[in-house]
Amino acid sequence: MPLLEAALMIADVSLVEDLKTFSQPSGDAFLDDLTERAIRACLANAGYPR
């Protein structure tokens, strides 16, 4: 999903709230993992522990 891949690259904390929209289990393990990784990357870039 391009949106989540872009969020991983940008990794800005301002994206976390929007990414949480996608954080509910979707039944697609790849999409769920990508969403979780994007959220963790954004938080880590802001200094929060992973």
Side-chain angles (χ1 to χ4, degrees), residues 19-50:
L19 289 170
K20 285 184 179 180
T21 303
F22 299 101
S23 67
Q24 301 302 318
S26 68
D28 181 329
F30 175 76
L31 182 60
D32 293 343
D33 179 61
L34 191 57
T35 302
E36 182 61 31
R37 287 177 35 219
I39 290 171
R40 283 192 314 239
C42 291
L43 291 174
N45 198 35
Y48 294 95
R50 286 184 176 225

